[in-house]
C-alpha cells in the first residue's frame, strides 16, 4: 500500500475514532491530574531539606540495597521458569501459571501476612533462622522476601511472553547444528527475548522499590522509602511526604525511560 493510500485511509477512519478518542482522553486527564496537582506542591529547597534528613537517607539506602537484590533473585529464578512455561506442556502447568499470577492479584497486605505465616519469627523456618542470627522478618532480608514475592511475577510473565514470541524453528536449527539445550537457550532464545526480559526486569525493580503493603507486614523496620512515606504522612500530612515521594517518582521515570529505550513488552501471551 502506498503512502498516499495509507494517508487516505487514515482520513476516512478519523471520524470513527472521535468517540473512542474522547473517552480515552477522559482517562488520560484523570491519570495526569494527580501528577500535576501533586507536583504543584513541591519546592526545590523543601525537597532538598527533606531528603537530607537522616531518616530519609536511611530509607533511601535501604530501598536501594534491597530492590536490586530482589530484582536479581526474581530474574535468576524467574527467567528459566518463564522459558519452561513458554516451551513445554505438562500436567499441572495451569496450576503453576496461576501460582505465578496469584501474588499480583492478592492484596499486598494479605501477601505479607502469608509470608509471615511461612517464615515468621514463631514458625519453624523463622525460628531456626533467628537462632542462626539471620532473622527473616523485621530485617533487610524480610524486605527482600516481601519485595520478591510481589515483584517477581512481572519478570516471569513478561519473559514468558518474550520467549513465546521467539520462533521455535530457530532453536531447532541451533540444535540441529549440534548445540545443546543450554547453549541454544543462552545463544539463541535469550538474545531474541532480550527486549521483553529487560522490560520485565525494569518493571520488577520498579514494583520492588515501591512495595509497601507486604513490606509493612513483614519488615516495618528497617524503613524503606514507602514505609517512611507512610510514617511521614501519619505525622505530617501530604506536605511531609513530598520529598521521598518525588524521589520514588523520579525512580519510576528512570524505569519508564529504560523500558522504552531498551525493553519491549511483547503482545504474545500464550501460544
Amino acid at each position: 500500500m502506498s503512502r498516499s493510500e495509507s494517508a487516505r485511509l487514515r482520513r476516512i477512519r478519523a471520524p470513527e475514532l472521535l468517540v473512542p478518542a474522547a473517552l480515552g482522553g477522559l482517562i488520560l486527564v484523570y491519570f495526569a491530574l494527580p501528577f500535576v496537582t501533586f507536583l504543584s506542591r513541591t519546592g526545590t529547597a523543601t525537597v532538598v531539606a527533606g531528603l537530607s534528613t537522616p531518616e530519609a537517607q536511611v530509607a533511601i539506602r535501604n530501598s536501594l540495597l534491597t530492590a536490586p537484590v530482589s530484582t536479581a533473585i526474581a530474574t535468576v529464578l524467574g527467567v528459566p521458569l518463564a522459558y519452561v512455561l513458554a516451551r513445554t506442556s505438562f500436567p499441572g502447568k495451569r496450576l503453576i501459571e496461576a501460582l505465578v499470577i496469584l501474588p499480583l492479584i492478592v492484596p499486598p497486605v494479605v501477601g505479607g501476612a502469608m509470608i509471615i505465616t511461612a517464615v515468621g519469627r514463631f514458625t519453624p523456618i523463622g525460628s531456626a533462622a533467628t537462632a542462626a542470627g539471620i532473622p527473616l522478618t523485621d530485617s533487610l532480608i524480610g524486605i527482600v522476601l516481601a519485595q520478591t514475592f510481589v515483584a517477581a511475577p512481572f519478570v516471569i510473565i513478561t519473559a514468558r511472553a518474550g520467549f513465546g514470541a521467539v520462533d521455535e524453528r530457530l532453536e531447532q536449527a541451533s540444535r540441529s547444528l549440534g548445540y545443546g539445550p543450554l547453549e541454544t537457550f543462552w545463544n539463541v532464545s535469550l538474545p531474541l527475548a532480550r527486549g521483553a526480559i529487560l522490560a520485565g526486569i525494569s518493571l520488577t525493580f520498579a514494583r520492588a522499590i515501591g512495595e509497601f503493603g507486604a513490606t509493612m507486614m513483614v519488615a516495618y523496620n528497617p524503613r524503606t522509602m514507602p514505609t517512611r512515606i507512610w510514617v511521614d504522612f501519619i505525622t505530617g500530612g501530604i506536605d511531609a511526604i513530598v520529598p521521598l515521594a518525588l524521589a520514588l517518582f523520579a525512580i519510576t521515570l528512570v524505569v519508564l525511560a529504560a523500558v522504552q529505550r531498551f525493553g519491549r513488552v511483547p503482545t504474545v501471551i500464550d501460544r
Side-chain angles (χ1 to χ4, degrees), residues 6 8 24 42-44 60 72 77 79 99 124 141 152 198 234 251 268:
S6 299
R8 183 176 62 84
T42 64
T44 304
I60 293 171
L77 301 181
V79 171
L99 189 59
I141 294 176
L198 289 176
I234 293 298
I251 292 172
V268 177

Side-chain angles (χ1 to χ4, degrees), residues 61 73 79 86 114 148 177 179 200 220 230 237 269:
R61 183 201 66 191
I73 293 172
V79 171
M114 292 176 176
T148 303
L177 293 174
Y179 293 101
Y220 191 58
W230 173 250
I269 303 300

Side-chain angles (χ1 to χ4, degrees), residues 3 9 44-45 49 54 68 72 85 126 165 201 210 228 271:
R3 183 176 300 179
L9 288 176
T44 304
L85 293 176
I201 292 172
R228 185 73 245 173
R271 293 178 66 85

